[in-house]
Amino acid sequence: MTYGRVTAMWNDPIEKKPLFHWNPGSYTFSISSAGCNFKCPWCQNWEISQRSIEEVTSVELRPEDVVKYAKAYRAPSISYTYNEPLIWFEYTLDVMKIAKKEGIGNVVVTNGFINEEPLRELLPYLDAANVDVKAFNEETYRKVIKGRLDVVLNTIEAMADAGVHVETTYLVIPGLNDNLEEFKALVRWQLDTLGPDAPLHISRFYPQYKYTHVSPTPIEILEKLRQTAIDEGLNYVYLGNVPGHPGEHTYCPKCGRLIIERWGFSIVEWALTEQMECKYCGAKIAIRGKYWGSTGHGRLFV
Ligand SMILES: [Zn+2]
């Protein structure tokens, strides 16, 4: 029913997905449909994710049209985002196949709730993903989110095994998943599965949808979780939804210097060589693709 029905199109900074370690500074042509296979009561995009396609405004686009738009905007990638892209699987896959042929990368921003068989069909065309881990607790997934954690973790593992660039996001909701032990368990799982270089985005919650009774995540909690993840051994841990916070920047894991300074979704300072090494100490920084910010490419409108 949702095939070819596009509810939003936008040329976004890749940092907005968020992906901080894949073609930094580039723009990504982003599309969405409607609906979701989860029922998160705090969803930030509930106006499209918790509605059916008949209830929202959409335009019909053939898969080749999406690729044409991406090329017109000079975006080096297409992102399937805003609502859950894996639920319009057939369309996502068709767009991805054409994009790949045209040399355009494919990015999903997903909850990771998909069976392994269709996932394997998608993986050859997928370049990068941001997967939400919404809690590290099977009960929260089943009772509140109406999904399953084990499936999500399998997805992340399968993506990484297939060579897809994976970053994870953890939205911290006071009283629901801000427990230090639960968070530590996630960090340890990520270290074991993806290694120390996979970025983790710790995101600030704002009251939304059915969760207007919960206050925004206190900054001190976000900072504490970020420090915990670093102490446990993750090299790149970021704070999201806190524009201007030092937790948005990239620091060299070897010398500790600030090497990528960001403000929200923009890169304002870049101190890496073309080989993605720290300018100060030469340490290799785990970034895939190239830095697009200096060329302005991918930012031009036609
Ligand atoms: Zn360094």
Side-chain angles (χ1 to χ4, degrees), residues 89-300:
F89 178 86
E90 294 81 2
Y91 186 70
T92 301
L93 184 60
D94 285 354
V95 179
M96 279 186 178
K97 284 179 177 171
I98 299 170
K100 197 83 181 169
K101 258 189 218 157
E102 299 280 338
I104 291 173
N106 289 307
V107 174
V108 292
V109 180
T110 178
N111 63 24
F113 195 42
I114 182 170
N115 284 319
E116 201 166 323
E117 206 183 336
L119 176 65
R120 299 227 168 263
E121 223 179 303
L122 205 76
L123 288 178
Y125 307 100
L126 185 61
D127 296 287
N130 187 299
V131 186
D132 261 351
V133 179
K134 292 165 188 290
F136 206 72
N137 180 317
E138 194 64 64
E139 199 183 326
T140 307
Y141 261 91
R142 289 182 192 245
K143 286 191 176 162
V144 186
I145 297 163
K146 314 295 181 193
R148 276 170 54 189
L149 175 63
D150 60 336
V151 176
V152 175
L153 300 184
N154 280 343
T155 297
I156 294 173
E157 209 171 341
M159 284 176 170
D161 286 348
V164 174
H165 173 81
V166 183
E167 303 189 16
T168 57
T169 296
Y170 193 80
L171 177 74
V172 185
I173 302 169
L176 184 104
N177 62 3
D178 57 348
N179 170 303
L180 198 59
E181 288 314 305
E182 179 176 343
F183 179 75
K184 259 189 202 172
L186 159 68
V187 170
R188 286 174 186 163
W189 176 86
Q190 177 157 325
L191 268 168
D192 285 348
T193 314
L194 304 177
D197 285 339
L200 167 64
H201 300 264
I202 300 169
S203 196
R204 188 182 196 196
F205 163 84
Y206 283 95
Q208 279 285 345
Y209 190 36
K210 296 177 182 172
Y211 256 51
T212 49
H213 57 289
V214 179
S215 304
T217 325
I219 303 288
E220 314 80 74
I221 293 197
L222 297 167
E223 288 170 342
K224 191 177 165 195
L225 296 184
R226 178 168 178 271
Q227 196 52 50
T228 301
I230 292 168
D231 293 345
E232 289 289 322
L234 287 183
N235 285 332
Y236 308 104
V237 187
Y238 300 106
L239 294 190
N241 289 342
V242 200
H245 193 283
E248 289 186 313
H249 311 321
T250 302
Y251 302 88
C252 173
K254 194 173 164 204
C255 73
R257 298 279 294 268
L258 196 165
I259 45 174
I260 306 172
E261 188 180 342
R262 299 183 185 81
W263 180 276
F265 309 129
S266 302
I267 294 172
V268 290
E269 282 298 329
W270 181 265
L272 273 77
T273 66
E274 269 182 40
Q275 289 72 42
M276 297 298 172
E277 295 155 345
C278 169
K279 210 172 79 177
Y280 306 107
C281 76
K284 185 87 187 138
I285 305 302
I287 290 178
R288 289 215 225 170
K290 64 170 186 176
Y291 174 46
W292 295 71
S294 57
T295 64
H297 199 61
R299 287 167 192 267
L300 302 175

